[in-house]
Amino acid sequence: MKPMAHLGVGIGWRPEIAAAVEGLPGLDWVEVVAENICPGHLPESLLRLLERGVRVVPHGVSLGIGGADRPDPAKLAALGERAVALGAPLVTEHIAFVRTSSVAPGPVLEAGHLLPVARTRDALDVLCENVRIAQDALPVPLALENIAALVSWPGEELTEAQFLTELVERTGVRLLIDVANLHTNRVNRGEDPVAVLDGIPLEALAYVHVAGGVERGGVWHDTHAHPVPGVVLDVLAELRSRVDPPGVLLERDDDFPPEAELAGELAAIRGVLGGPAGAVPYPPFHRSPGSARTRASNAGEAGSGSDPAPDADGAGSGVGLDSARTRVGIGQAALLSALVAGTPVPEGFDRQRVRVQARALAAKRAGIVAGVAPELTGILGGEDAYREAFLGYARHRPMTGGYRRDAMDFAEHLLVRDLPADPAARRRLTLWWRDRAGARPPGRAVRWARALVGRAA
């Protein structure tokens, strides 16, 4: 595998901190969420960075390359267009699924979040073909990121390291290793970050993510809204003791701190990268009593009885791979439906963790809808009233058409039920809905009929 181009130390570019990012000393590169930019209308801040010679790498979040369907050609084309517009040396995405598959029964459901792929032979076969399709379509190399997760799939056949290693061997894809996600999975799923680093092909490393989070009630939340804790820098030090990473990037997506604090976090990262190898050992891994249930194969047992890996050309093609896609799609649909539509938790999953994940997804969805339709918070009487109303709406109404459509559906959901109760607020919501829908809100008879249908369902 050819060595990856050196990137250096960078930060995730976000519009909220664009000016601060431009002012950071010694910045080598930035990463931008691919879906948030338009190739023909790049933000002035990014153009100035490019003029200064700062590299910009597009990072996709919506491809769902770990899903049961083959990658959407339009999404691949859009990702490639952004790479060309930015002159990027590579593009990156996630080993995750984000929506249900067309092979599964029922409507397509959107997670609005990155969900973990089961580490099974079926899922690996599907992922490998999806990666090859993406590689053929993209104009630059592809790197894939390990994700953080709250839930574990039952019946997994491979460890994280085995899964990633075989993915690289069969496709030649690069790896984007998120050390914060490794720590998250230690807390939430009982997985040893050191064992992962020891087991993966670090020669395939494209670059590294570092981010902050917080632990609440024994669950680590990968928020990207808190300072990077020492335990995450310790995982970075463990990685640095094994390889000199081509690039390291600080992610911050919310609750943005002052420029000086961002500069301090970048300085801490540089300190780890420049320090002596192995100077900050990560704490020894001790399996918690509950982790054996959620991760029985993590200690290495998974490889002992596994079937031999398919060859590099990809066993499981044709009819066999189509069957695997169906099995993967049905499993992913069952989990996602439990998370966003309130259906029963599939057998073998930790029900409490699924409930925690479902609440987190609903809260994230509420926050994003409030961001794209900020008027709703004021109309409904403040953030607390908005969140209570939205979470009630979202409990059994999965998102199917994006966040702007979700905001419209939420407003119609309230109006159908003659809400909000305050007549003035209801008039304001009606006007808001009418301005965006281009039509009158449903009349009382229609609202009554829809309400009856909803109750009958």
Side-chain angles (χ1 to χ4, degrees):
M1 184 173 285
K2 292 175 61 177
M4 187 64 212
H6 180 75
L7 293 171
V9 176
I11 191 170
W13 184 92
R14 303 292 183 266
E16 298 88 343
I17 53 171
V21 168
E22 288 188 65
L24 290 170
L27 187 69
D28 298 313
W29 67 293
V30 299
E31 180 190 78
V32 61
V33 177
E35 290 81 356
N36 289 351
I37 61 168
C38 178
H41 301 85
L42 294 176
E44 291 295 327
S45 173
L46 282 181
L47 291 174
R48 287 191 293 268
L49 289 171
L50 287 167
E51 289 171 1
R52 283 168 40 187
V54 175
R55 280 181 166 169
V56 181
V57 173
H59 184 56
V61 298
S62 66
L63 185 59
I65 202 167
D69 284 339
R70 290 174 177 83
D72 181 349
K75 290 183 182 296
L76 289 174
L79 195 55
E81 288 171 3
R82 282 147 180 79
V84 171
L86 296 168
L90 79 164
V91 296
T92 59
E93 250 287 354
H94 301 82
I95 302 172
F97 77 100
V98 297
R99 62 186 63 87
T100 55
S101 164
S102 58
V103 304
V108 173
L109 304 179
E110 293 282 347
H113 190 71
L114 303 166
L115 295 176
V117 173
R119 296 173 197 148
T120 62
R121 289 288 173 199
D122 275 351
L124 182 59
D125 287 344
V126 169
L127 176 62
C128 285
E129 188 187 45
N130 288 353
V131 168
R132 292 190 197 98
I133 292 170
Q135 289 170 320
D136 289 343
L138 292 169
V140 294
L142 171 68
L144 293 179
E145 178 181 352
N146 61 302
I147 73 163
L150 279 171
V151 298
S152 296
W153 284 84
E156 292 195 316
E157 299 163 331
L158 301 164
T159 65
E160 174 86 331
Q162 290 167 339
F163 193 87
L164 294 177
T165 298
E166 197 165 317
L167 174 64
V168 170
E169 289 173 348
R170 291 171 60 176
T171 66
V173 74
R174 303 279 183 170
L175 294 178
L176 192 181
I177 295 300
D178 189 315
V179 293
N181 290 349
L182 292 180
H183 175 71
T184 300
N185 291 343
R186 168 189 171 138
V187 177
N188 294 348
R189 305 210 291 181
E191 299 175 350
D192 184 1
V194 175
V196 176
L197 294 176
D198 282 341
I200 60 176
L202 290 173
E203 65 275 12
L205 183 64
Y207 60 89
V208 177
H209 273 174
V210 177
V214 63
E215 186 172 356
R216 299 191 188 99
V219 173
W220 188 272
H221 297 272
D222 182 44
T223 63
H224 294 192
H226 292 79
V228 178
V231 286
V232 170
L233 292 177
D234 291 347
V235 183
L236 178 62
E238 284 285 351
L239 183 146
R240 175 64 184 90
S241 72
R242 292 159 174 77
V243 67
D244 186 7
V248 179
L249 183 120
L250 171 66
E251 289 189 293
R252 189 70 178 243
D253 294 328
D254 204 353
D255 197 13
F256 298 102
E259 181 180 335
E261 187 173 329
L262 293 174
E265 293 206 282
L266 290 172
I269 290 170
R270 292 188 183 98
V272 172
L273 298 177
V280 188
Y282 191 69
F285 178 75
H286 299 293
R287 187 175 303 282
S288 65
S291 64
R293 179 182 182 279
T294 60
R295 202 79 216 121
S297 63
N298 189 57
E301 305 93 307
S304 60
S306 300
D307 294 330
D311 60 31
D313 292 328
S317 58
V319 175
L321 189 52
D322 287 342
S323 297
R325 287 188 182 278
T326 298
R327 291 190 293 270
V328 169
I330 291 172
Q332 290 179 349
L335 174 59
L336 184 49
S337 181
L339 289 171
V340 303
T343 58
V345 176
E347 188 67 29
F349 283 93
D350 185 319
R351 285 173 168 75
Q352 181 179 357
R353 283 297 175 89
V354 171
R355 285 193 291 269
V356 171
Q357 179 74 86
R359 289 195 296 269
L361 290 181
K364 178 180 179 180
R365 181 178 164 192
I368 296 176
V369 168
V372 301
E375 305 86 356
L376 293 176
T377 301
I379 292 171
L380 297 178
E383 184 174 341
D384 290 345
Y386 161 77
R387 282 194 169 268
E388 181 180 356
F390 187 89
L391 294 178
Y393 149 80
R395 190 169 294 117
H396 298 291
R397 290 180 62 105
M399 183 174 65
T400 58
Y403 291 106
R404 295 188 188 281
R405 180 68 258 172
D406 205 20
M408 295 293 291
D409 289 346
F410 171 49
E412 184 169 334
H413 166 85
L414 295 176
L415 292 172
V416 161
R417 289 156 179 79
D418 285 328
L419 297 172
D422 175 51
R426 193 161 62 253
R427 282 193 298 272
R428 290 176 61 199
L429 185 61
T430 300
L431 291 172
W432 182 92
W433 189 96
R434 182 185 298 167
D435 287 345
R436 287 152 184 80
R440 292 177 61 84
R444 181 173 295 276
V446 175
R447 296 202 304 268
W448 175 78
R450 287 182 178 176
L452 284 181
V453 171
R455 284 194 287 269

